[in-house]
Amino acid sequence: MSGGEQEQRNYYLGVDVGTGSVRAALVDQCGVLLAFADQPIMKWEPQFNHHEQSSEDIWAACCIVTKKVVRGIDLNRIRGLGFDATCSLVVLDKQFRPLPVNHEGDPHRNIIMWLDHRAVSQVQRINETKHRVLQYVGGVMSVEMQAPKLLWLKENLRETCWDKAGHFFDLPDFLSWKATGVTARSLCSLVCKWTYSAEKGWDDSFWKMIGLEDFVADNYSKIGNQVLPPGASLGNGLTQEAAKDLGLPAGIAVAASLIDAHAGGLGVIGADVKGHGLACEGQPVTSRLAIICGTSSCHMGISKDPIFVPGVWGPYFSAMVPGFWLNEGGQSVTGRLIDHMVQGHAAFPELQAKATASCQSVYAYLNSHLDLIKKAQSVGFLTVDLHVWPDFHGNRSPLADLTLKGMVTGLKLSQDLDDLAILYLATVQAIAFGTRFIIEAMEAAGHSITTLFLCGGLSKNPLFVQMHADITGMPVVLSQEVESVLVGAAILGACASGDFTSVQQFASCPDCGNRRFPKKLQQRNDDCM
Ligand SMILES: Nc1ncnc2c1ncn2[C@@H]1O[C@H](COP(=O)(O)OP(=O)(O)O)[C@@H](O)[C@H]1O
Ligand SMILES: O=C(CO)[C@H](O)[C@H](O)COP(=O)(O)O
């Protein structure tokens, strides 16, 4: 492209709110990422299994990263803005001010995070109802979804929170409201986490049966009675106030949002794999499984007709790719589990010192250390005597059992760096076996998956990627663009701007070769297992 043509480029902004940080990217009309910034966000764990965040802190981080990525750019070329975020529950009062979700009454902490497991008794009672909406979440509602958390607030914080609340938002919808003043909710959030049906809307009998009839009585105004598809343009775009906060011109198109895993899925599932000899080449997109691996891993498979997979969320209609049903398998802690195992080991200080001295991340150092100690063997054999069961935070899929705990067998008295490296390897392998377990359940129910498309922080770890290829026996495709979740968010902005007629048009645009071609294919290493 010549310099002159380059000036004619349109730009789209994607903002991705993960569990640990907010990221923003400036993306061009070919899906090429031109600028990136990230900013950590605050998290509180006031008691075991209670996880909270602050919507003000998250918005402030969105403003910092957005201002950074547009520095030096002609702002008039920015055509659209899209948000994705974790499916955490944001609570505001009738004047849109934060309300406390904690016994301490701290209104700053007004978000119950997705991984919060406080609502155990509530979800057990919801599951005992056997209500028909449960068919669409794999047969069992997860404690991580919104209905049990809302019931917990009603039963535990009646005066300080529940009675004063005016708005309960999924975090992606909070962000689009904050940017536009429009309280419409994304179909993605409501279908996946709130029991809304794309075809039938809210089911009054469910809310009445579980003791949240309040929502029915006020026509769902607090949880959303205007629902839009992801990528739909909201109101008059960016408000003056939000534009000032974000350092952007007012009026830019803002899209109805996506949950983070769904943005990642949208960013990778349409990749052009021509010429790489993959089984999915020339096959329907339904033969692909997108796995978004960060703090957690989410396994996104789509189908033309609804498929009911016990213990796997969905089927959700049009929640990720319009017109397709989605099943979402998941592992609640993956990146978080690896960090936990490595950082909690007695040899972690030594690892940190050695990694710093060699200018490597601790994971790059551990990966090279495993290569050193494996000698002539394949690395997988290092764990023949050591095994990890990875459900330290319950099992999301396919067992759907929040009471499960983690296990390690084969421990010795040694606490040296070799021991840490092998425990790390066994943890990565256990996570990959969890993925295989999920794929087996999806296939038994009717999915036919041949190829994995990975993105998210953990996809930057070559050992994690190789173990997924080895243990599932499927090739793993990594996108040219590492920050695929942000590409997914920017696709929403492009769609809202009207430059693209649908999210699919951008996600599989024939001119976007740079983004669509795989960067790397990781094939199974047969010697390894
Ligand atoms: N280069 C890397 N090598 C190994 N692990 C990584 C790398 N980058 C990120 N991670 C791991 O990925 C996880 C975070 O992924 P990320 O997508 O940023 O999470 P989230 O979206 O939940 O905030 C962490 O466990 C982190 O240790
Ligand atoms: O349940 C989800 C998606 O449906 C959560 O948003 C997700 O698991 C948290 O994402 P991340 O691990 O990327 O922070």
Side-chain angles (χ1 to χ4, degrees):
M1 203 179 260
S2 74
E5 279 171 327
Q6 221 147 45
E7 279 161 28
Q8 297 310 311
R9 278 182 181 184
N10 287 333
Y11 301 127
Y12 310 100
L13 273 168
V15 177
D16 165 38
V17 179
T19 299
S21 65
V22 174
R23 285 77 66 154
L26 185 75
V27 170
D28 75 6
Q29 62 217 25
C30 288
V32 177
L33 196 138
L34 305 169
F36 169 86
D38 63 353
Q39 176 75 16
I41 46 181
M42 290 196 267
K43 286 178 280 179
W44 290 266
E45 197 177 340
Q47 61 190 85
F48 181 60
N49 272 340
H50 287 225
H51 296 267
E52 297 170 6
Q53 283 182 316
S54 154
S55 62
E56 287 178 345
D57 174 59
I58 288 175
W59 181 252
C62 292
C63 297
I64 292 171
V65 290
T66 304
K67 283 179 182 150
K68 279 189 187 162
V69 294
V70 300
R71 208 172 276 155
I73 289 287
D74 176 1
L75 296 182
N76 295 317
R77 297 223 174 276
I78 300 174
R79 305 260 309 142
L81 168 63
F83 292 97
D84 72 71
T86 63
C87 47
S88 300
L89 178 67
V90 183
V91 188
L92 303 180
D93 72 8
K94 295 175 181 78
Q95 284 75 44
F96 294 93
R97 291 173 307 208
L99 277 174
V101 294
N102 44 74
H103 291 294
E104 296 77 26
D106 177 359
H108 198 53
R109 287 155 36 204
N110 67 322
I111 298 181
I112 302 184
M113 291 179 72
W114 62 272
L115 76 169
D116 186 292
H117 279 194
R118 70 181 69 183
V120 172
S121 126
Q122 287 73 15
V123 83
Q124 278 164 352
R125 278 179 274 143
I126 290 172
N127 282 320
E128 278 161 17
T129 67
K130 308 258 183 248
H131 193 279
R132 59 180 169 256
V133 298
L134 303 177
Q135 285 169 40
Y136 289 87
V137 289
V140 186
M141 182 169 283
S142 164
V143 69
E144 294 173 13
M145 290 182 173
Q146 308 300 16
K149 289 171 176 160
L150 291 162
L151 191 54
W152 186 93
L153 288 174
K154 184 172 178 182
E155 292 177 349
N156 290 276
L157 299 177
R158 183 93 197 206
E159 279 161 29
T160 52
C161 180
W162 184 258
D163 288 345
K164 292 182 180 163
H167 309 273
F168 297 100
F169 283 104
D170 223 55
L171 183 55
D173 291 333
F174 164 81
L175 296 168
S176 60
W177 162 73
K178 188 80 183 158
T180 62
V182 176
T183 57
R185 307 303 207 270
S186 161
L187 186 73
C188 172
S189 293
L190 291 199
V191 167
C192 299
K193 308 292 169 178
W194 299 71
T195 73
Y196 185 85
S197 159
E199 293 157 314
K200 299 182 201 139
W202 292 115
D203 190 329
D204 294 354
S205 69
F206 171 71
W207 296 103
K208 287 180 185 162
M209 194 181 270
I210 68 165
L212 292 180
E213 58 288 337
D214 330 40
F215 293 138
V216 185
D218 80 349
N219 191 30
Y220 300 100
S221 67
K222 291 184 184 170
I223 62 172
N225 50 20
Q226 199 201 347
V227 186
L228 293 171
S233 180
L234 293 173
N236 298 319
L238 202 59
T239 61
Q240 292 284 355
E241 193 186 346
K244 196 162 157 256
D245 286 353
L246 294 165
L248 299 172
I252 288 174
V254 180
S257 314
L258 277 170
I259 299 169
D260 54 357
H262 303 63
L266 192 63
V268 297
I269 208 159
D272 184 344
V273 296
K274 253 188 233 103
H276 292 276
L278 284 166
C280 67
E281 183 177 340
Q283 294 302 309
V285 69
T286 50
S287 64
R288 303 168 175 209
L289 186 74
I291 311 184
I292 297 81
C293 346
T295 303
S296 63
S297 290
C298 302
H299 307 68
M300 321 297 280
I302 59 176
S303 57
K304 269 288 177 201
D305 297 308
I307 300 179
F308 294 85
V309 190
V312 172
W313 295 345
Y316 299 135
F317 187 61
S318 279
M320 188 174 86
V321 181
F324 284 83
W325 292 84
L326 170 72
N327 284 108
E328 177 181 349
Q331 294 163 286
S332 292
V333 286
T334 53
R336 166 118 192 211
L337 177 64
I338 297 170
D339 296 344
H340 174 82
M341 296 298 248
V342 169
Q343 290 166 16
H345 195 278
F348 181 63
E350 182 190 348
L351 168 66
Q352 257 187 321
K354 288 187 165 157
T356 308
S358 61
C359 298
Q360 285 176 296
S361 74
V362 289
Y363 295 113
Y365 189 90
L366 281 174
N367 292 350
S368 3
H369 192 75
L370 284 169
D371 272 337
L372 269 181
I373 59 177
K374 76 180 170 63
K375 304 198 178 91
Q377 285 183 316
S378 287
V379 80
F381 287 107
L382 287 171
T383 51
V384 283
D385 295 326
L386 185 76
H387 306 288
V388 172
W389 181 259
D391 293 331
F392 283 53
H393 197 52
N395 179 284
R396 203 191 266 183
S397 308
L399 301 176
D401 184 348
L402 73 89
T403 66
L404 285 189
K405 308 277 186 290
M407 267 190 294
V408 183
T409 66
L411 292 172
K412 296 179 292 188
L413 275 178
S414 65
Q415 289 188 316
D416 60 13
L417 197 52
D418 289 4
D419 185 67
L420 165 52
I422 293 169
L423 181 64
Y424 155 72
L425 171 64
T427 306
V428 172
Q429 288 174 324
I431 292 167
F433 271 108
T435 288
R436 178 164 138 183
F437 199 13
I438 290 168
I439 294 171
E440 284 168 0
M442 292 177 77
E443 297 206 307
H447 281 275
S448 180
I449 293 156
T450 64
T451 312
L452 310 182
F453 290 73
L454 258 60
C455 65
L458 284 172
S459 70
K460 296 175 193 164
N461 182 343
L463 181 82
F464 186 88
V465 175
Q466 186 64 59
M467 288 301 127
H468 276 69
D470 289 347
I471 288 167
T472 64
M474 292 187 190
V476 177
V477 180
L478 298 180
S479 171
Q480 180 90 330
E481 181 43 72
V482 178
E483 301 297 340
S484 298
V485 181
L486 279 165
V487 173
I491 288 174
L492 296 174
C495 191
S497 72
D499 293 349
F500 293 80
T501 52
S502 67
V503 290
Q504 285 109 317
Q505 194 197 357
F506 192 110
S508 55
C509 164
D511 300 324
C512 303
N514 194 21
R515 182 179 62 79
R516 292 167 64 235
F517 277 96
K519 176 180 123 189
K520 202 166 172 194
L521 297 172
Q522 209 66 54
Q523 302 286 359
R524 181 184 195 158
N525 173 3
D526 283 319
D527 297 341
C528 203
M529 299 304 302

